[in-house]
Amino acid sequence: MRTSSAIALLSAVIAPHVAAQTSTSSSATTGSTTAAESPVTGKLGNATVVENNPPGIVYQATLPDTAFAKSAYPDGGNVKGQLTAVASPDGMGVIFRVQFSKLPKTGGPFLYHIHVDPVPSDGNCTATLAHLDPFIRGETPACNSSLPQTCQVGDLSGKYGKIDKDPFEVTYVDQFASTLEGIGAFFGNRSVVVHFANTTRITCASFAQVANGDGGLPASSGCSAESATSSSCSSTGTGVLAPTASSNLTTPALSTGGARPTTTGTASPSPSQAVVSAGTSVRLGSAAGVIAFAAAIMFML
Ligand SMILES: *[C@@H]1O[C@H](CO)[C@@H](O)[C@H](O)[C@H]1NC(C)=O
Ligand SMILES: *[C@@H]1O[C@H](CO)[C@@H](O)[C@H](O)[C@H]1NC(C)=O
Ligand SMILES: *[C@@H]1O[C@H](CO)[C@@H](O)[C@H](O)[C@H]1NC(C)=O
Ligand SMILES: *[C@@H]1O[C@H](CO)[C@@H](O)[C@H](O)[C@H]1NC(C)=O
Ligand SMILES: *[C@@H]1O[C@H](CO)[C@@H](O)[C@H](O)[C@H]1NC(C)=O
Ligand SMILES: *[C@@H]1O[C@H](CO)[C@@H](O)[C@H](O)[C@H]1NC(C)=O
């Protein structure tokens, strides 16, 4: 069970990178392009890859108990679930863990997006405004998920797939959304909205920071966000991520208030190091390097 989860996770994390590489090489070798092939991008161009996300800061948006679209749950209740997000250890892109269940029986496949504004205290999902779209692409036509840089930054279901099963769980790395405050792609002060297929808003939740940038690792442990992928770390932190060196996919380490030690003491070469030293791809290397983090999130929740 854990092994198969880890494998699914591995594919989920690496697939977008492979897709990106494929699209880069194919566009580079395109000789004669027809107009139909050139994708719609933002008025300000394609979304840019954010390379300096502060690692370790975890943001979470948890759906409320009551739906905004009351008609979707005549007897009360709501979609259950959350988005959890943390920057990749190398600061390139953000790992998203998406978990939804108890969706309405009809009206799918469901969509979900990061919206510009947070949810006001009255829970009004309309007030979250439109999708996060700093490059001004617009919602239509729907973007090509093979070219996520051409999509609205906040269009997560457009880039990584609609909610087509219940429960729905997926983990991926998005290169464009950011945990870096001050830039348009920053989502920590915004919200996520779940929609019917016809875009009617079912429910929404604001992101909140649930762990800080030092990854919850105590200064005295010799661990840091930077060293976390290359050395063993333990944590007495407050229930946050503590990736281990070995990147042992079947045993991601996590900290639960210091109750559990997270180190095994032996540092075997990580997938990240193996891939990089094989010289195949730095991007693949960084993808592999985030697996411990993604796995830690997965098992933390
Ligand atoms: C956006 O990216 C696509 C796919 O790589 C490319 O074809 C297009 O030329 C880019 N557009 C701009 C404005 O950079
Ligand atoms: C959207 O779909 C839902 C579920 O099928 C339905 O209840 C709602 O009325 C639809 N909204 C619009 C604007 O058609
Ligand atoms: C919800 O917010 C929208 C946009 O701000 C507003 O037009 C609408 O009146 C609000 N609805 C309620 C019930 O407050
Ligand atoms: C999406 O982009 C890929 C890569 O450029 C291309 O092969 C494919 O035809 C595009 N799909 C659509 C529906 O435009
Ligand atoms: C969220 O943060 C971004 C970047 O720091 C800022 O531009 C935007 O105004 C903020 N939005 C809200 C609703 O606070
Ligand atoms: C991962 O951890 C498990 C349990 O501690 C152990 O049995 C397994 O050999 C480890 N695998 C690797 C590749 O280190």
Side-chain angles (χ1 to χ4, degrees):
M1 151 57 187
R2 284 194 157 195
T3 304
S4 63
S5 299
I7 290 166
L9 189 61
L10 182 76
S11 333
V13 169
I14 287 179
H17 293 261
V18 174
Q21 289 176 336
T22 306
S23 65
T24 303
S25 55
S26 68
S27 67
T29 55
T30 300
S32 56
T33 350
T34 66
E37 280 175 32
S38 73
V40 174
T41 67
K43 285 200 175 73
L44 303 180
N46 286 315
T48 50
V49 175
V50 182
E51 300 184 351
N52 55 342
N53 292 304
I57 304 178
V58 182
Y59 291 97
Q60 196 165 58
T62 303
L63 298 174
D65 293 336
T66 305
F68 173 63
K70 299 278 189 292
S71 62
Y73 293 86
D75 302 327
N78 193 13
V79 185
K80 197 169 152 35
Q82 65 217 341
L83 258 69
T84 309
V86 63
S88 298
D90 64 0
M92 287 267 282
V94 173
I95 306 164
F96 283 89
R97 173 79 177 142
V98 181
Q99 299 164 290
F100 294 123
S101 62
K102 297 190 162 43
L103 290 138
K105 297 284 175 267
T106 58
F110 305 96
L111 315 171
Y112 67 103
H113 315 110
I114 299 171
H115 280 239
V116 169
D117 271 6
V119 184
S121 54
D122 66 0
N124 184 344
C125 293
T126 308
T128 63
L129 306 179
H131 303 169
L132 177 59
D133 186 18
F135 296 89
I136 319 178
R137 182 200 183 273
E139 252 178 75
T140 53
C143 75
N144 182 339
S145 58
S146 303
L147 304 171
Q149 69 274 37
T150 67
C151 300
Q152 292 179 302
V153 169
D155 185 5
L156 298 180
S157 55
K159 288 187 272 191
Y160 307 107
K162 297 172 184 176
I163 304 169
D164 56 0
K165 48 183 169 308
D166 188 354
F168 176 84
E169 295 198 3
V170 63
T171 300
Y172 47 77
V173 178
D174 183 87
Q175 307 275 12
F176 314 103
S178 179
T179 57
L180 183 64
E181 279 187 56
I183 64 172
F186 177 66
F187 62 87
N189 60 353
R190 308 187 193 274
S191 61
V192 61
V193 178
V194 180
H195 306 252
F196 284 114
N198 64 12
T199 74
T200 293
R201 298 172 191 212
I202 303 170
T203 184
C204 56
S206 298
F207 281 100
Q209 189 176 321
V210 295
N212 64 13
D214 63 15
L217 304 173
S220 59
S221 74
C223 292
S224 69
E226 287 71 32
S227 69
T229 52
S230 58
S231 65
S232 292
C233 297
S234 62
S235 174
T236 57
T238 51
V240 291
L241 308 177
T244 54
S246 60
S247 295
N248 184 333
L249 295 178
T250 62
T251 57
L254 51 100
S255 147
T256 51
R260 264 192 269 184
T262 60
T263 54
T264 58
T266 51
S268 54
S270 73
S272 165
Q273 290 161 336
V275 174
V276 171
S277 64
T280 47
S281 162
V282 171
R283 293 189 109 202
L284 272 178
S286 67
V290 304
I291 290 169
F293 255 70
I297 289 179
M298 189 164 98
F299 284 87
M300 180 179 73
L301 302 170

